């Protein structure tokens, strides 16, 4: 369905803030995209939950690039070991080898986020930000 990307991201941030999470929307792109909005919302919600859980805060923004629109979820945590980034998309993969729910869940958040991104017609990538923390990018056709 045609979806106002800024509205979807802003509503997600407002819901997270209402739930007490330190999440903010830092900039929009003014684009309507064809997507599955519920799948995209679930993807972004998982990324926000991970950012808040592991880094304390999340900032979301939308930007236009060549033929694409990118939603970025940025945190200022410790980032990830570069050799582990791709592996963390596998089911039950975690940096912390314990399976205690007190230490961060069971390792399905990124697996679900990637699957929901694909259902929404998007791709999901993770990278360490050059300054600090992690940036998750959900890229959709413009």
């Amino acid at each position: 369905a045609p979806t106002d990307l800024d509205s979807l991201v802003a509503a997600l941030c407002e819901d997270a803030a209402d739930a007490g999470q330190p999440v903010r929307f830092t900039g929009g792109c003014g684009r309507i995209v064809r997507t599955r909005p519920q799948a995209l919302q679930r993807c972004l919600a998982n990324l926000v939950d991970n950012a808040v859980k592991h880094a304390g805060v999340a900032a979301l923004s939308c930007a236009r690039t060549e033929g694409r629109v990118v939603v970025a979820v940025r945190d200022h945590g410790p980032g990830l070991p570069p050799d582990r980034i791709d592996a963390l998309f596998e089911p039950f993969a975690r940096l912390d080898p314990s399976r205690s729910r007190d230490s961060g869940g069971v390792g399905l958040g990124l697996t679900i986020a990637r699957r929901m991104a694909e259902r929404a017609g998007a791709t999901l990538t993770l990278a360490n930000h050059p300054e600090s923390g992690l940036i998750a990018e959900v890229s959709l056709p413009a």
Side-chain angles (χ1 to χ4, degrees), residues 88-94 99 101 104-112:
L88 290 174
F89 285 109
E90 296 299 318
F92 306 109
R94 299 181 59 216
R99 293 288 179 220
R101 302 243 343 130
V106 295
L108 290 173
L110 289 175
T111 303
I112 293 168

Side-chain angles (χ1 to χ4, degrees), residues 2 5-6 14 24 27 59 84 90 107-108 136 142:
L5 194 56
D6 293 346
E14 288 171 15
R24 60 191 173 94
R84 294 280 299 154
E90 296 299 318
L108 290 173

Side-chain angles (χ1 to χ4, degrees), residues 30-97:
R31 297 296 293 196
I32 304 293
V33 295
R34 262 191 91 62
T35 188
R36 293 181 183 210
Q38 290 177 328
L40 182 59
Q41 189 275 339
R42 174 77 189 273
C43 169
L44 295 172
N46 279 18
L47 296 173
V48 166
D49 287 344
N50 275 354
V52 170
K53 185 183 302 177
H54 299 292
V57 298
L60 285 79
S61 63
C62 301
R64 289 184 256 184
T65 62
E66 296 177 21
R68 312 242 358 129
V69 178
V70 177
V71 180
V73 180
R74 167 98 156 78
D75 71 43
H76 293 278
L80 295 171
D83 62 332
R84 294 280 299 154
I85 289 175
D86 288 336
L88 290 174
F89 285 109
E90 296 299 318
F92 306 109
R94 299 181 59 216
L95 286 180
D96 177 0

Side-chain angles (χ1 to χ4, degrees), residues 2 8 11 16 20 23 28 35 39 41 45 60 83 87 91 94 96 98 102 106 114 125 131 133-134 137:
L8 184 141
V23 176
T35 188
Q41 189 275 339
L60 285 79
D83 62 332
R94 299 181 59 216
D96 177 0
S98 78
D102 296 333
V106 295
R114 180 169 267 178
T125 58
E131 294 174 17
L134 190 72
E137 293 186 334

Side-chain angles (χ1 to χ4, degrees), residues 7-31:
S7 293
L8 184 141
V9 175
L12 174 75
C13 291
E14 288 171 15
D15 290 347
D18 287 347
Q21 293 181 313
V23 176
R24 60 191 173 94
F25 183 40
T26 61
C29 61
R31 297 296 293 196

